[in-house]
Amino acid sequence: MTHDEPEIAETRAWVDRVVIGLNLCPFAKAVQVKGLVRYVLSSATDPASLLADLTGELERLADVPAHRLETTLLIHPQVLVDFAEYNDFLEV
């Protein structure tokens, strides 16, 4: 889960290019520039493991002051790669 992972680098570049570059989220640039976005690569291979990772990240966000961490992007390349599966997971 280091910043050296290619998935993290690709996601960070996508946020810069698309989310910030196209101004899709008016809040994204400030938190990205301030380093308040946590990028986490999940090794989950099933929805239950991903839910555990998600729960852990939500707990971290609740515990860390907003001036140190504003949001997390949980990258999960091995699970919920099908949009219908991802969409179903949103109910969880």
Side-chain angles (χ1 to χ4, degrees):
M1 281 196 258
T2 68
H3 292 288
D4 298 328
E5 299 287 345
E7 295 90 348
I8 290 177
E10 290 170 15
T11 302
R12 183 182 291 275
W14 176 82
V15 168
D16 287 337
R17 186 179 66 254
V18 177
V19 178
I20 295 171
L22 297 176
N23 201 29
L24 297 179
C25 175
F27 309 104
K29 184 175 183 178
V31 295
Q32 179 84 324
V33 169
K34 292 177 185 175
L36 299 176
V37 180
R38 178 173 155 82
Y39 291 83
V40 177
L41 181 60
S42 171
S43 60
T45 57
D46 59 77
S49 298
L50 181 61
L51 183 58
D53 288 348
L54 177 59
T55 301
E57 289 305 315
L58 290 172
E59 290 170 349
R60 177 186 294 271
L61 284 170
D63 292 341
V64 176
H67 69 273
R68 289 189 44 226
L69 178 63
E70 184 74 24
T71 194
T72 298
L73 290 179
L74 182 60
I75 305 158
H76 50 90
Q78 299 180 65
V79 64
L80 305 181
V81 294
D82 177 78
F83 181 76
E85 291 174 354
Y86 173 79
N87 202 38
D88 290 343
F89 183 79
L90 293 177
E91 291 182 31
V92 176

